[in-house]
Amino acid sequence: MAIKNHDSVIVLDFGAQYSQLIARRVRECGVYSQIVPYTVTADEVKAIAPKGIIFSGGPASVKTPGSPRPDSALFSLGIPILGICYGLQVMSEMLGGNVTCPEKKEYGLQNIDIVDKSSVLFSNVSDKTQIWMSHGDSVDRIPDGFHVTATTATCPYAAVEDTKRHFYGVQFHPEVVHSVEGDKMIRSFVLDVCNAKADWNMGSFVEDAIKEIRETVGDKRVLCGLSGGVDSSVAAVLIHKAIGNQLVCVFVNNGMLRKNEAESVLDLFGKNFSMNLQYADATDDFLSALRGVTEPEAKRKIIGKVFIDTFYNEARKCGDISFLAQGTLYPDVIESKSPSGGPSSTIKSHHNVGGLPEDLKWQLLEPLKELFKDEVRALGKELGLPDELVYRHPFPGPGLGVRCIGEVTKERLDTLRDVDAIFIEEIRKARLYDKIWQALADLLPVKSVGVQGDERTYREVCTLRAVTSEDAMTADWYRMPYEVLQRAALRICNEVSGVNRVLYDITSKPPGTIEWE
Ligand code: XMP
């Protein structure tokens, strides 16, 4: 997304898991932010004309030959710079300071002492405040012109600044929630150091996105896979607003949807939006391609491929298509690859991004790929989508296929659909749905012995999982009241014939992921 009529602060991505979180914190200040690769040139930055630049953290060591370096001419643009962790180290090294690689790495919560109370960065922050450290290397000599503004017991250069040149650096991560007043530091940098005007909001995003989609698409046609989830629905409505009937939405029934999902999506979109919407029931194609497959990545790849084949089939019915639109969000991208082509490491090849063929016939259109889920929800509200859709729990593209552990068969899917429906119904009845980021059920390829009505049973085991999260990058298990678990477990064993044992998953992310596969 290009920045048009608003002040912006750009984030140079050195490969941090948190780059987009920094951008999001800036947007929370009402100032547009996007991330750009660290290789951006000073001329390119001049063309964007940001009010400030933030250097992200990153996994490299500045002491390793070939580690990422920004264009040194950035330091002469007169634009304020904030370096975070690796960003501070690379700035220090390039401006004449020094960085060492001590044997002991420093991770976790710390308190910083603000030693220069006149620092603008800390003007709204308590004198001692908790921050999150995660670094191997440390600055051990700061460049000329800099002075120390905060320290910790183990880090003499926790924060430094050169107020004349407007260069700031912090060794910790103000962007993560564990840095309790980190958002205030970012706000002070953006609004007080950079003097950016806080006039950006989701309404501005819609305006800019519509312009950009029109420019990109021209008079060509776009096919959008609509799943009925928040992301693809918001993407579809946004694109529809931009290009109207040049958009064709395809709702694919892959046989791995939740109970009554197809009917309710068709009903909702049929009633509320006058879009071109095609329905493709490809259940048999998906299930036959998945026969005998149990390996999670193989399943994801197959599901991705059959999706694309189905889209190709559907596209034949509606003339020339040039673009495939998807509701890919930032967390989908980061866990598959670094969004700016930067150097962050691959966590898991999946989500919308992982399943696409290299030789895709169409160009991708992903207008939400810089946003986090709650930002997409705000955008959905802005676009007038109904609350029942905007506040739905996330549901993965490959659907129940990645929750049916082991082989995906129609029979097992039917079982899982029933388990899932009961679990969600009980959560709704207990009025907990909106307190939970996501609730899900998985079916395990493990059988256990039970007894029901004096009869021995030997059936599969299901797990229930509910998590709280800010953005799906990390998650904690939800402390579900026992009564709700009890009701759900009882109903599942009584009403679902394929299952006789129910477990509740208490793994957080990390070390687990939200989905089992
Ligand atoms: P994990 O399991 O990686 O999931 O912790 C993080 C979030 O992403 C959702 N998810 C997906 N969403 N396509 C999607 O659109 C996918 O392939 C996919 N896999 C996981 C997951 O439900 C959670 O909200």
Side-chain angles (χ1 to χ4, degrees):
M1 159 88 59
I3 301 151
K4 302 271 156 61
N5 307 315
H6 302 275
D7 283 357
S8 72
V9 170
I10 58 170
V11 178
L12 252 62
D13 178 19
F14 289 96
Q17 283 291 308
Y18 297 130
S19 297
Q20 202 42 268
L21 197 51
I22 304 171
R24 176 222 167 105
R25 294 283 176 249
V26 175
R27 294 197 290 266
E28 282 171 357
C29 304
V31 174
Y32 190 68
S33 181
Q34 67 174 150
I35 64 172
V36 295
Y38 73 87
T39 46
V40 69
T41 64
D43 283 340
E44 287 165 334
V45 170
K46 255 200 254 168
I48 300 174
K51 299 289 278 187
I53 301 174
I54 300 181
F55 289 177
S56 82
S61 163
V62 291
K63 289 298 183 193
T64 307
S67 54
R69 293 273 188 285
D71 183 350
S72 57
L74 290 180
F75 295 112
S76 315
L77 293 178
I79 300 175
I81 299 178
L82 169 65
I84 294 179
C85 196
Y86 180 86
L88 159 68
Q89 294 159 8
V90 82
M91 172 158 70
S92 303
E93 180 97 355
M94 289 175 76
L95 295 177
N98 192 51
V99 173
T100 54
C101 319
E103 267 178 26
K104 222 172 136 249
K105 301 191 182 313
E106 196 179 16
Y107 296 107
L109 297 177
Q110 293 261 359
N111 282 319
I112 50 166
D113 279 314
I114 316 282
V115 292
D116 177 358
K117 301 204 174 22
S118 70
S119 168
V120 178
L121 215 55
F122 301 119
S123 50
N124 296 310
V125 174
S126 341
D127 290 350
K128 227 184 199 347
T129 182
Q130 179 190 296
I131 51 86
W132 172 259
M133 284 282 190
S134 174
H135 66 112
D137 294 356
S138 294
V139 173
D140 71 347
R141 194 184 65 237
I142 50 179
D144 288 347
F146 278 75
H147 71 276
V148 182
T149 53
T151 59
T152 73
T154 47
C155 180
Y157 301 113
V160 298
E161 65 188 40
D162 174 344
T163 39
K164 223 181 194 161
R165 290 184 286 178
H166 308 294
F167 295 156
Y168 294 74
V170 290
Q171 183 52 73
F172 54 89
H173 289 274
E175 69 277 21
V176 305
V177 282
H178 315 289
S179 292
V180 181
E181 296 182 278
D183 53 341
K184 294 184 190 164
M185 302 171 197
I186 292 177
R187 177 171 286 271
S188 295
F189 176 72
V190 170
L191 302 183
D192 303 329
V193 175
C194 304
N195 281 317
K197 203 161 11 117
D199 62 356
W200 184 88
N201 56 31
M202 272 302 160
S204 344
F205 182 92
V206 172
E207 272 170 40
D208 285 350
I210 285 179
K211 263 189 233 148
E212 181 153 325
I213 293 167
R214 284 187 184 146
E215 274 165 27
T216 310
V217 173
D219 58 2
K220 306 245 167 56
R221 287 157 66 83
V222 178
L223 187 106
C224 177
L226 186 69
S227 73
V230 190
D231 312 342
S232 63
S233 303
V234 170
V237 173
L238 180 65
I239 297 169
H240 184 249
K241 230 178 145 108
I243 59 166
N245 282 339
Q246 286 165 257
L247 172 72
V248 181
C249 289
V250 176
F251 177 73
V252 177
N253 187 343
N254 59 10
M256 296 176 280
L257 302 173
R258 284 186 148 144
K259 206 169 184 171
N260 302 327
E261 183 82 357
E263 295 77 5
S264 65
V265 171
L266 292 173
D267 185 53
L268 186 105
F269 276 86
K271 263 194 204 141
N272 292 281
F273 301 96
S274 51
M275 291 183 194
N276 289 325
L277 177 58
Q278 288 176 203
Y279 174 66
D281 187 352
T283 303
D284 292 343
D285 298 341
F286 279 92
L287 296 193
S288 55
L290 285 166
R291 196 165 297 135
V293 182
T294 55
E295 205 278 315
E297 280 295 299
K299 280 188 192 175
R300 280 178 175 274
K301 297 246 158 71
I302 290 169
I303 294 169
K305 178 173 180 315
V306 183
F307 261 120
I308 291 296
D309 291 346
T310 313
F311 289 148
Y312 282 158
N313 278 339
E314 289 302 307
R316 271 191 220 113
K317 300 179 192 161
C318 47
D320 249 3
I321 295 286
S322 305
F323 293 87
L324 176 68
Q326 300 200 119
T328 312
L329 306 194
Y330 175 70
D332 303 329
V333 182
I334 186 66
E335 299 210 336
S336 292
K337 62 175 189 215
S338 184
S340 60
S344 79
S345 50
T346 298
I347 307 279
K348 193 174 175 183
S349 122
H350 73 183
H351 300 203
N352 301 336
V353 198
L356 293 175
E358 305 238 319
D359 59 349
L360 184 71
K361 296 200 232 176
W362 304 309
Q363 237 177 294
L364 276 183
L365 188 65
E366 298 180 311
L368 314 180
K369 76 166 182 231
E370 291 163 12
L371 302 182
F372 285 85
K373 193 70 150 202
D374 56 344
E375 294 181 307
V376 170
R377 289 197 163 119
L379 180 58
K381 296 279 287 177
E382 182 72 34
L383 291 167
L385 285 163
D387 280 6
E388 67 191 270
L389 200 152
V390 167
Y391 294 109
R392 283 184 102 181
H393 288 176
F395 185 68
L400 299 181
V402 292
R403 297 182 180 172
C404 213
I405 314 305
E407 190 178 359
V408 183
T409 62
K410 164 122 190 5
E411 195 190 9
R412 297 189 76 222
L413 286 168
D414 284 342
T415 299
L416 181 55
R417 245 188 290 274
D418 287 341
V419 170
D420 176 75
I422 292 173
F423 185 37
I424 300 295
E425 197 180 308
E426 289 302 325
I427 287 174
R428 282 196 189 277
K429 271 202 242 159
R431 300 188 179 280
L432 298 177
Y433 189 82
D434 294 332
K435 297 203 164 89
I436 294 168
W437 168 269
Q438 188 169 4
L440 52 140
D442 285 74
L443 187 65
L444 307 189
V446 174
K447 285 188 173 176
S448 81
V449 173
V451 55
Q452 227 165 345
D454 296 333
E455 296 241 342
R456 175 187 191 268
T457 60
Y458 185 52
R459 295 179 186 157
E460 285 186 325
V461 177
C462 73
T463 63
L464 308 181
R465 178 156 175 70
V467 294
T468 53
S469 178
E470 281 245 320
D471 48 29
M473 307 277 282
T474 60
D476 194 10
W477 62 281
Y478 181 65
R479 274 51 168 183
M480 182 81 69
Y482 286 168
E483 310 77 62
V484 182
L485 288 173
Q486 189 204 4
R487 270 196 302 276
L490 195 69
R491 279 192 59 197
I492 289 167
C493 290
N494 281 336
E495 296 173 32
V496 187
S497 58
V499 161
N500 68 353
R501 197 172 292 268
V502 181
L503 312 180
Y504 189 59
D505 182 351
I506 58 162
T507 319
S508 56
K509 171 183 180 178
T513 46
I514 295 176
E515 304 291 345
W516 275 47
E517 292 194 332

